[in-house]
Amino acid sequence: MEMVRVHRDVKGATKYLEGAVARIASMSERHGGDAAWLSQHVWNLFASRSPLLGLWVRVDRDDEIVGHLVATAQSWDGESVAWVHQAENDGPPLGRDFWDQGVAELNRWVREINASLPSGAPQVRRLLFSTPHDPKFFERRAGFTVYRHLLERRV
């Protein structure tokens, strides 16, 4: 399986955009997110060739999308961070190979973002995401650590 970066500057990657955005919307809907907003945000960042979009698809040997990873660089609590919105793999749970490839791609992307920032601009120093799953899984599989707890209270 191969991770392919979906960005306008990556030759041949545009063919995966529509399928990737459909997967993003589907996952967002299943997990109670705002699928329309996230899909449009991804389209806008892609269309503008923004370095702030980190989007990858995982393709099988038949060139079919079997997973995706989407992140954006943004401000969070006054800090520039890379926020991982979604990571999904068809079939078995996200295995070590998916995380090894995904984290390597995320790290490469963050280095590209930091290199493109003006001198003196705050650098992206951390990858963040929230999950409904046991964080110990992500500690073991991908080297993440618990940073803060995310709580919700509906109003």
Side-chain angles (χ1 to χ4, degrees):
M1 307 262 183
E2 179 186 8
M3 293 284 273
V4 177
R5 174 122 185 244
V6 181
H7 192 275
R8 287 181 61 187
D9 293 339
V10 177
K11 185 177 172 131
T14 301
K15 70 180 180 179
Y16 299 112
L17 180 64
E18 193 171 325
V21 171
R23 290 179 62 93
I24 290 165
S26 175
M27 186 174 181
S28 184
E29 287 170 359
R30 286 192 318 273
H31 293 280
D34 188 338
W37 177 85
L38 184 54
S39 299
Q40 189 61 55
H41 188 53
V42 168
W43 276 108
N44 291 346
L45 291 171
F46 180 85
S48 67
R49 281 189 161 92
S50 175
L52 303 181
L53 174 64
L55 175 60
W56 297 266
V57 292
R58 192 166 197 221
V59 295
D60 63 15
R61 54 180 89 98
D62 296 323
D63 207 34
E64 296 294 321
I65 299 174
V66 295
H68 74 277
L69 177 62
V70 62
T72 57
Q74 60 192 55
S75 178
W76 188 74
D77 200 21
E79 178 182 2
S80 294
V81 300
W83 185 266
V84 180
H85 295 273
Q86 297 179 355
E88 183 176 53
N89 189 52
D90 296 350
L94 300 174
R96 172 144 324 264
D97 62 330
F98 180 92
W99 281 107
D100 287 349
Q101 291 175 11
V103 169
E105 291 295 331
L106 287 164
N107 286 336
R108 189 174 5 265
W109 168 64
V110 167
R111 285 192 303 275
E112 289 174 14
I113 291 169
N114 287 338
S116 73
L117 293 172
S119 180
Q123 301 276 296
V124 174
R125 299 269 183 236
R126 123 184 27 239
L127 297 170
L128 296 177
F129 74 100
S130 70
T131 180
H133 304 292
D134 185 346
K136 290 187 186 331
F137 173 86
F138 299 99
E139 290 174 336
R140 285 191 314 268
R141 290 282 167 104
F144 284 88
T145 58
V146 173
Y147 171 59
R148 293 186 180 180
H149 296 274
L150 182 64
L151 304 172
E152 173 190 46
R153 182 169 192 259
R154 297 276 180 174
V155 293

